[in-house]
Amino acid sequence: MSTKPGTTPTYSPSTQKKKPQNATFNSSNGVRSDGRGFYQCRPAYLKTGVVSAAAGSACAEFGNTKVIVSVFGPRESKKAMMYSNVGRLNCSVSYTPFATHVRGQVSEHKEFSSVLHKALEGAIILESFPKTTVDVFALVTESGGSELPVIVSCASLALADAGILMYDLVAAVSLSSLGNNLIIDPLLEEERNEDGSLMLTYMPSRSEVTQLTITGEWTAPKMHEGMELCLDASRKLAEIMRLCLKEADSLSNE
C-alpha cells in the first residue's frame, strides 16, 4: 500500500478468549514497549515495483522491521534435465551490514532461506515455467523482530508482481510464548525473552498451511490457541496484501 507506516490498518486477530497476563518485561497494564496489546499486530506498509531491474519486487515495513524482495526470472535452468518439466525455485535471505546492532558485512541467513523456500514452493505453480528457474532475493535492511514472516509475505507479493503463477498469496504471522502469555508479531526484545515461538505461513483462499515452525515446549491447548491467532491474523494480512496488488494494478492502468 502506498500510505505511510502507521496510517495503514493493523491485521490483528479478533480471537481474544482471555485477557493476557502480564509479561515480565512489560508494564503492569499489559501494554508492550511499542504501545500495542499482546494480540495486536504492527501496521503493515507494503509496496510493489520498488526494484526496476527485477522482474518483480516488493518492500515491507512492519514497525522497525524493513525488508526488500527482488524476483528474477524465469531464466534457463542449468539443471533443466534434472527438473524435467517442472520449474525450479531459488531463495536467498541476506541482512545488510546495518540491519542489526552487530555491524558487519552483508550476511546470508541460510536457515531463513530454507524456510522461505518451503513456505513459497507449495504456493507456486512450478509447472508454469518448465525447465527454468525463478530466483527470490530477500534483503533485510532493518531488524526489528519477526523478520521471517515479513520476508515470506513480502516475497509472496514480489512473486505476484513478477507475474509468477501462484495458487494463492502466502501470508505469514509469528508469535512468541512468554510464560503464560502469547505475544503476536513479536518485537526483537520479545523474541529474545521468549520461551517458545510459532510461525505459520498460510494460503487463505485454499485454507492451506504451507509451513509451520515451532520452537520450545507447548501444551496442546496453548498451541491450538496460538495457531488460531496466527490463522486469523494471516487472513487479515492477506487482505492487505491483495489491496496492495489492486492499488498497484490500478496505478499502472492510469
Side-chain angles (χ1 to χ4, degrees), residues 23-41:
T24 57
F25 58 90
N26 276 318
S27 59
S28 58
N29 60 2
V31 177
R32 298 154 75 176
S33 62
D34 61 353
R36 288 183 293 147
F38 287 10
Y39 293 162
Q40 185 177 6
C41 299

Side-chain angles (χ1 to χ4, degrees), residues 5 26 49 87-88 92 104 147 209 233:
N26 276 318
R88 184 169 181 258
S92 176
E147 285 100 40
V209 174

Side-chain angles (χ1 to χ4, degrees), residues 58-61 65-69 138-141 147 150-151 154:
C59 68
E61 294 184 22
T65 298
K66 300 177 182 179
V67 175
I68 298 174
V69 179
L139 183 65
V140 179
T141 60
E147 285 100 40
V150 176
I151 290 168
C154 187

Side-chain angles (χ1 to χ4, degrees), residues 188-237:
L188 193 59
E189 63 181 289
E190 294 167 342
E191 291 179 320
R192 289 171 177 167
N193 288 276
E194 67 187 12
D195 304 312
S197 66
L198 185 154
M199 188 194 75
L200 183 145
T201 66
Y202 186 59
M203 294 190 291
S205 297
R206 296 172 65 90
S207 297
E208 184 176 333
V209 174
T210 63
Q211 178 78 349
L212 177 63
T213 304
I214 300 173
T215 65
E217 296 183 2
W218 293 75
T219 62
K222 193 173 185 180
M223 182 178 295
H224 177 74
E225 182 182 1
M227 290 184 66
E228 286 298 320
L229 286 167
C230 287
L231 285 170
D232 193 17
S234 294
R235 295 185 189 101
K236 294 179 179 180
L237 175 57

